[in-house]
Amino acid sequence: MSESGFPIKPVYDENDLPDHLTTRLGAPGEYPYTRGVYGTMYTSRPWTMRQYAGFGTAAESNARYHQLLAAGTTGLSVAFDLPTQMGYDSDDPMVHGEVGKVGVAIDSLDDMRVLFDGIPLDKVSTSMTINAPAALLLLLYQLVAEEQGVAGTALNGTIQNDILKEYIARGTYIFPPKPSLRLVADTFAYCREGVPRWNTISISGYHMAEAGATPVQEIAFTLANGVEYVRAALAAGLDIDNFAPRLSFFFVARTTLLEEVAKFRAARRIWARLMREEFGAKDPKSWMLRFHTQTAGVQLTAQQPEVNLVRVAVQGLGAVLGGTQSLHTNSFDEAIALPTEKAARLALRTQQVLAYETDLTSTVDPFAGSYVVEAMTAEIETAAEELMERVFAHGSSVEAIESGFQKREIEASAYRVARQIDAGERVVVGVNRFALDEEEPYEPLRVDPAIEQAQAARLAELRRTRDAGAVERALAELRAVAEGSGNVLYPMREALRRRATVGEVSGALREVWGVYRPSDRF
């Protein structure tokens, strides 16, 4: 059986090909984009090679970014610590013990300035994995760029900014869904005017897959969330062809290579049809599903961690064969701790081998016409569309989230896989088969707990030296706009410029919009 639950035949032939295959395929770079969103794909240049990195202080992460850029990374991907993701400052009692642990601590413009010190923001594409406070981090990035003399029109990158999947699978939400969707739409409008090359959202299936979603569930729930964001933007008065070309997606790549390739191709086809036929988008760029891929962290093992190098290579291969626009390959030691410098470099080298030592970049969509891949693409497409209809039967993706539908479906899949692993029906090399009696010792990267005290000291100095009156006036203006219907990013930007902290800006919005708790109704 496939990961999505349909049978895999031992032999496929021409009878397994779907009807109207030529129409289903199209040409590379043309509707319905089954064969890729660009006509030349990697034959003209490889995908963007990103490495997800960030830990401890801004200075430590900045040093890691310089190492990665020197090693050949073509795009940065910033990991933020949990307090930053939740909109708290590092000295808030709520976050004691979490500062700098799973990413970098960013409390203010001062920290963002250090994070990108010496990195030319007009030449580097930056992705930021941040959701509830995504607009804040984008504005801090823009302010730092302005200090470098780089205009917003020259900035290129992505903020995740996908709040709906937080309610389904991850949990780093702050505000209730309605104001959260407003913040997303405000970001679309703001970037259309001032940061036009920025990808304003990365609609994510990755975290749902990490929580246990099958490939079909991953793309069905992700695309259903995409529909919700499109509807929110249209309700805010935005024209679809003004914002849809900057939508992007984020998917996982598992070791089940053939099904993953089929999944990516099916997702492109479904989205193109939705955007052109359901929403009436006229610009072909609005029909394109452009996506970033990360190899599957959930498939990494702490046992025999070097085997993860092989897993990641296979996963990366699947992403490339599936037509990804950018790729992050996990480090082999991430099941144990934050990656060491050597492990991060090896992960990048994996991508470079795929790009420069294989013939993957010689031709576009090499699996086109494959009996098995075309059959799987059609299977996944049909199953995903049926599951999306089950989501929309609740009224919308938001209402399905409220009822717990997606969460229940994913949890059932995760439970089934766990039972299969426990029973030995699903092989995990080094865990339930080919295990060692004794594991080799491994020394992981450790984060210094003194970081929390250092960040608290920086915050104290910030508050001592800034113009407190100007900060409070800017926050008051932010509250006033949040209570009305204006775009909150403009007063938010001014507050951050005045050196208000991430926690203070998030707190001002909490005062107006409230916070979301799982027991709340939407």
Side-chain angles (χ1 to χ4, degrees), residues 80-88 90 104-107 130 133 137 502:
F80 296 95
D81 72 353
L82 193 57
T84 305
Q85 293 181 48
M86 298 295 292
Y88 290 108
S90 296
V104 61
I106 298 295
D107 292 317
I130 195 78
L137 276 299
V502 168

Side-chain angles (χ1 to χ4, degrees), residues 6 20 57 111 183 276 456 469:
F6 56 82
H20 312 296
T57 65
D111 289 332
L183 190 53
R276 190 173 81 164

Side-chain angles (χ1 to χ4, degrees), residues 69-93:
L69 291 168
T73 293
T74 54
L76 298 175
S77 187
V78 183
F80 296 95
D81 72 353
L82 193 57
T84 305
Q85 293 181 48
M86 298 295 292
Y88 290 108
D89 289 332
S90 296
D91 60 355
D92 193 303

Side-chain angles (χ1 to χ4, degrees), residues 375-415:
M376 282 188 170
T377 301
E379 275 263 29
I380 291 173
E381 179 183 16
T382 299
E385 288 181 325
E386 290 173 354
L387 185 53
M388 290 174 72
E389 287 304 313
R390 291 176 63 196
V391 172
F392 298 141
H394 289 80
S396 68
S397 185
V398 167
E399 289 169 301
I401 291 168
E402 179 183 11
S403 75
F405 173 69
Q406 297 98 320
K407 194 170 187 294
R408 285 194 304 273
E409 293 288 306
I410 291 170
E411 287 172 349
S413 297
Y415 180 65

